Amino acid sequence: MNSLVSESRIEHDIRELASAPRNSRENPAGHAEAAEWIAAEFKRIGLVASRQSFEIPGQTPPRQGINVIGTLNGRTGNSPVPRSMLIGAHYDTVPGSPGADDNASGVVALLECARTLASEKSDRAIAFVAFDAEEMQTPAEGLHGSTAYVARLTPYDTPGAAIIFESVGFTSTSKKQRLPGSFRFLFRRTYKALVRQNFSAESLLLLSRGPGRAISRELEKSAATPAIQLPILPLEVPRWMPMFRNLRRSDHAPFWLAGIPAVMISDTANFRNPHYHRPTDTPDTVDSGLVAKAARMVINAIE
């Protein structure tokens, strides 16, 4: 199965998606082209593609966001589909940034998962969702696409789990991995893993909360297999802990708030990547091998 994940295709697709900024306010044409490209890829893979529109709050003039959804083994009628899950990644960018790592890398990892699981005839019901308006949309805080998606879920289509790709493509031999200062004391297991890795900027963070820890542990086991060998920083948030800002900065947070187990996978963005939210977040700074490992880790855990 891992052979179906292609690093050359990952590199090509990131260049395709990150050819221009994808912000609907500053670059509406580029944003629309990105949504169309993702929908076309979903159809090419053989998924049922759809769009979900929503109003982005706090916008003058009013502005609509678009979530792009690809469904594998969707439900029929009003019968819930067993073993359902969601794999998500946001496709919008901040103004002025082509967003190769943030978050073309996540969208392309999502597409690799979709291609492999569709080709392998997975019997799971999976929604692959490219969320819009994750980034800050002044004056309102972001996560609007995932918030709108979660708000419209019904008992028939609520996933049993969600996995979110958020910036999964930056590595460095010169930069050291960092974490917020307080995390050293709050999350001892995470910090011990970081020390064992000699603060190397080649790992991926697995952020989970409460019942999502079981999903994180499965991903961690998958990452350790000989075919992947991906260093992991496991960050497991207990249910009683407040959701500090650094714990809710991506599209996993609305799922947590709704009580849906969710895990965010990330290279930690600004805690490693000097190109974060900058015009220099270009495809040549992305490690396609790390993106491939992220996708393989998820595929193996699902199967």
Side-chain angles (χ1 to χ4, degrees), residues 5 17 19 22 32 61 72 81 83 117 123 132 134 136 141 152 167 177 188 222 235 237 245 265 274 280:
V5 175
L17 191 56
S19 60
R22 303 177 298 281
L72 177 67
V81 179
R83 306 174 70 218
L117 293 168
D123 61 351
D132 194 8
E134 186 269 355
M136 179 78 77
E141 194 170 352
R152 299 180 192 181
S167 303
Q177 177 66 60
R188 299 297 298 169
S222 176
L235 201 162
V237 183
R245 183 177 183 276
I265 304 170
T280 53

Side-chain angles (χ1 to χ4, degrees), residues 95-163:
S97 175
D101 185 39
D102 185 18
N103 188 32
S105 66
V107 173
V108 171
L110 176 152
L111 289 172
E112 288 297 306
C113 290
R115 287 190 183 97
T116 299
L117 293 168
S119 296
E120 291 291 322
K121 311 293 185 188
S122 173
D123 61 351
R124 283 190 180 274
I126 306 176
F128 299 91
V129 186
F131 293 113
D132 194 8
E134 186 269 355
E135 301 290 3
M136 179 78 77
Q137 305 287 329
T138 305
E141 194 170 352
L143 312 184
H144 301 305
S146 52
T147 297
Y149 183 89
V150 170
R152 299 180 192 181
L153 288 172
T154 72
Y156 300 109
D157 53 20
T158 297
I163 296 174

Side-chain angles (χ1 to χ4, degrees), residues 2 219 221-231 289 292-301:
N2 278 327
L219 290 168
K221 286 193 293 184
S222 176
T225 58
I228 300 176
Q229 295 185 336
L230 171 62
K293 286 184 177 182
R296 289 171 179 144
M297 172 180 64
V298 170
I299 293 164
N300 284 357

Side-chain angles (χ1 to χ4, degrees), residues 42 67-70 86-90 110 127-131 149:
F42 282 157
N67 293 330
V68 186
I69 304 166
L86 178 144
I87 300 176
H90 76 88
L110 176 152
F128 299 91
V129 186
F131 293 113
Y149 183 89

Side-chain angles (χ1 to χ4, degrees), residues 17-268:
L17 191 56
S19 60
R22 303 177 298 281
N23 183 277
S24 62
R25 176 164 51 88
E26 299 289 337
N27 305 90
H31 176 271
E33 288 175 7
E36 287 295 328
W37 182 82
I38 295 167
E41 289 301 305
F42 282 157
K43 292 176 183 177
R44 187 174 292 114
I45 290 167
L47 307 181
V48 177
S50 60
R51 292 170 176 80
Q52 181 187 67
S53 62
F54 59 92
E55 184 172 339
I56 301 175
Q59 303 299 296
T60 304
R63 187 152 49 96
Q64 294 287 307
I66 300 291
N67 293 330
V68 186
I69 304 166
T71 304
L72 177 67
N73 300 327
R75 67 183 176 90
T76 57
N78 287 328
S79 299
V81 179
R83 306 174 70 218
S84 65
M85 67 179 307
L86 178 144
I87 300 176
H90 76 88
Y91 70 95
D92 64 310
T93 68
V94 296
S97 175
D101 185 39
D102 185 18
N103 188 32
S105 66
V107 173
V108 171
L110 176 152
L111 289 172
E112 288 297 306
C113 290
R115 287 190 183 97
T116 299
L117 293 168
S119 296
E120 291 291 322
K121 311 293 185 188
S122 173
D123 61 351
R124 283 190 180 274
I126 306 176
F128 299 91
V129 186
F131 293 113
D132 194 8
E134 186 269 355
E135 301 290 3
M136 179 78 77
Q137 305 287 329
T138 305
E141 194 170 352
L143 312 184
H144 301 305
S146 52
T147 297
Y149 183 89
V150 170
R152 299 180 192 181
L153 288 172
T154 72
Y156 300 109
D157 53 20
T158 297
I163 296 174
I164 305 297
F165 289 112
E166 172 60 72
S167 303
V168 293
F170 184 80
T171 59
S172 176
T173 56
S174 60
K175 302 288 182 182
K176 289 294 186 179
Q177 177 66 60
R178 298 180 295 116
L179 291 173
S182 61
F183 280 28
R184 174 177 181 174
F185 307 102
L186 292 173
F187 305 105
R188 299 297 298 169
R189 185 167 179 253
T190 311
Y191 188 72
K192 287 179 180 178
L194 189 57
V195 171
R196 286 196 303 272
Q197 296 165 17
N198 196 29
F199 296 85
S200 172
E202 297 177 333
S203 60
L204 286 177
L205 180 81
L206 298 180
L207 175 60
S208 63
R209 181 172 184 259
R213 185 176 70 172
I215 307 165
S216 179
R217 294 286 174 101
E218 286 299 320
L219 290 168
E220 195 174 349
K221 286 193 293 184
S222 176
T225 58
I228 300 176
Q229 295 185 336
L230 171 62
I232 289 298
L233 294 176
L235 201 162
E236 300 169 348
V237 183
R239 271 181 163 172
W240 56 261
M241 183 175 288
M243 289 175 58
F244 305 116
R245 183 177 183 276
N246 277 320
L247 297 176
R248 53 178 173 82
R249 285 175 52 189
S250 190
D251 291 312
H252 61 286
F255 291 91
W256 283 4
L257 290 171
I260 300 170
V263 174
M264 182 196 72
I265 304 170
S266 178
D267 61 21
T268 74

